[in-house]
C-alpha cells in the first residue's frame, strides 16, 4: 500500500523511496520517513486520503467481506501498514464496521497535517522467515487462537511476513495464498499444518471463501 502512494503524484521520486528502503530495515521506520518527506514536499492530508480512497481493490474482495459478515463470521485485519491507511480505505468502501475481531497494525495519527506512525511491537524475538521486528504476525494469530475457541480459521495473505502467522494455524484451518507471491512460494517449500488454497484473482478468492464457509456455516 505504501508503494502505491509513492511517485510523482505524491511528490516522492522512486529513487528517494528506494534510498529510504535501504536505510531502514524495519518497514515502520521506512513509512515514518516517507511520510515525513511527503509532508515536507507539501503533500496534504486531503491529498493522501484522496489517493488512498482511489486505490484499486478487487470488487470480489469487498463482496467476500460482506458475505462473511452476513454469515456472522468474525473477521480481523493483520497488516504491516498502519491504522490511518487501513481505516481510510475501509471507510471508502463502507467496510469500517465489519472487522469485529480487530485491526492489528502499526498505530498512526495525524499531527498538524503530518502522518506519524510507530511500531505495533517495539521488538519481538521471533526468528521466523521474513518476520518483521515491529510486528510478528505469528504472535497475533497465536493470541487470537488462545483468546477464542474458533472452530476454523481461514487466513488470506500473499507476503513473506504472513508465513509466521500461518505456521501457527491448525490442521482444521486454511491458508488462502495468492498464486505466485512470496507466501505461496514459501508454503510450497515448507508446508504448514493448515490446508493450502491458492488464488490468482478476486473471483477465485471469493469462490474459495464461499466453498470453505458454506461447509462450516450453512
Amino acid at each position: 500500500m505504501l508503494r502505491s502512494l509513492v511517485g510523482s503524484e505524491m511528490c516522492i521520486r522512486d529513487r528517494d523511496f528506494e534510498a529510504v528502503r535501504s536505510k531502514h530495515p524495519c518497514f515502520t521506520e521506512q513509512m515514518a520517513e516517507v511520510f515525513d518527506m511527503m509532508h515536507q514536499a507539501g503533500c496534504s492530508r486531503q491529498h493522501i486520503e484522496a489517493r488512498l480512497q482511489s486505490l484499486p481493490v478487487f470488487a470480489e474482495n469487498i463482496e467476500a467481506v460482506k458475505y462473511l459478515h452476513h454469515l456472522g463470521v468474525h473477521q480481523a485485519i493483520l497488516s504491516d501498514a498502519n491504522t490511518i491507511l487501513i481505516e481510510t480505505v475501509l471507510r471508502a468502501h463502507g467496510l469500517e464496521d465489519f472487522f469485529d475481531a480487530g485491526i492489528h497494525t502499526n498505530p498512526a495519527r495525524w499531527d498538524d497535517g503530518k502522518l506519524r506512525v510507530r511500531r505495533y511491537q517495539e521488538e519481538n524475538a521471533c526468528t521466523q522467515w521474513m518476520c518483521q521486528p515491529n510486528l510478528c504476525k505469528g504472535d497475533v494469530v497465536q493470541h487470537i487462537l488462545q483468546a477464542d475457541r474458533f472452530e476454523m480459521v481461514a487466513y488470506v495473505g500473499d507476503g513473506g511476513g504472513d508465513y509466521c502467522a500461518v505456521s501457527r494455524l491448525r490442521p482444521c484451518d486454511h491458508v488462502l495464498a495468492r498464486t505466485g507471491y512470496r507466501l505461496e512460494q514459501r508454503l510450497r517449500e515448507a508446508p504448514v499444518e493448515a490446508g493450502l488454497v491458492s488464488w490468482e484473482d478476486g473471483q477465485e478468492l471469493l469462490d474459495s471463501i464461499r466453498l470453505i464457509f458454506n461447509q462450516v456455516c450453512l
Side-chain angles (χ1 to χ4, degrees):
M1 185 184 294
L2 178 63
R3 190 64 184 85
S4 298
L5 290 175
V6 176
S8 58
E9 290 185 39
M10 299 305 289
C11 319
I12 306 297
R13 296 171 297 182
D14 285 349
R15 65 173 179 269
D16 294 331
F17 179 71
E18 294 303 324
V20 170
R21 291 187 62 183
S22 62
K23 179 179 177 182
H24 300 290
C26 180
F27 186 60
T28 313
E29 278 71 56
Q30 294 176 22
M31 285 195 294
E33 183 161 346
V34 167
F35 291 139
D36 185 58
M37 294 165 65
M38 291 166 65
H39 181 69
Q40 292 180 24
C43 294
S44 67
R45 172 177 177 172
Q46 292 74 21
H47 194 171
I48 294 172
E49 288 179 339
R51 183 63 184 269
L52 287 168
Q53 292 162 3
S54 67
L55 288 176
V57 177
F58 286 136
E60 296 87 353
N61 287 15
I62 297 173
E63 185 177 348
V65 171
K66 293 179 177 179
Y67 168 76
L68 293 173
H69 181 73
H70 175 73
L71 291 180
V73 174
H74 299 291
Q75 299 183 78
I77 291 177
L78 177 50
S79 170
D80 202 9
N82 66 65
T83 51
I84 295 293
L85 301 191
I86 292 171
E87 290 168 2
T88 302
V89 172
L90 291 179
R91 282 195 300 272
H93 297 283
L95 302 176
E96 63 269 28
D97 297 323
F98 285 56
F99 294 90
D100 61 320
I103 298 175
H104 307 274
T105 188
N106 302 295
R109 62 184 175 86
W110 290 107
D111 180 12
D112 195 25
K114 178 180 177 179
L115 186 53
R116 297 187 181 275
V117 60
R118 58 185 177 86
R119 294 185 178 200
Y120 181 85
Q121 296 172 312
E122 285 304 316
E123 202 69 45
N124 66 74
C126 185
T127 58
Q128 183 62 269
W129 183 77
M130 289 199 70
C131 201
Q132 296 297 309
N134 62 293
L135 175 58
C136 173
K137 293 184 177 182
D139 284 351
V140 179
V141 168
Q142 193 68 45
H143 176 76
I144 290 174
L145 290 174
Q146 291 174 348
D148 293 283
R149 291 180 174 237
F150 291 114
E151 180 180 347
M152 182 270 293
V153 170
Y155 188 103
V156 180
D158 57 17
D162 292 310
Y163 182 77
C164 186
V166 303
S167 70
R168 313 294 181 97
L169 298 180
R170 308 156 298 182
C172 62
D173 300 326
H174 300 272
V175 183
L176 292 92
R178 193 172 184 181
T179 302
Y181 284 68
R182 282 183 172 180
L183 177 60
E184 192 218 24
Q185 293 168 354
R186 179 61 174 171
L187 288 169
R188 300 293 184 189
E189 300 166 356
V192 297
E193 291 187 348
L196 173 60
V197 179
S198 298
W199 58 278
E200 189 167 351
D201 55 31
Q203 189 61 55
E204 284 191 1
L205 177 59
L206 177 60
D207 291 343
S208 297
I209 287 174
R210 283 174 170 164
L211 180 62
I212 291 169
F213 284 92
N214 281 348
Q215 297 173 350
V216 175
C217 300
L218 299 181

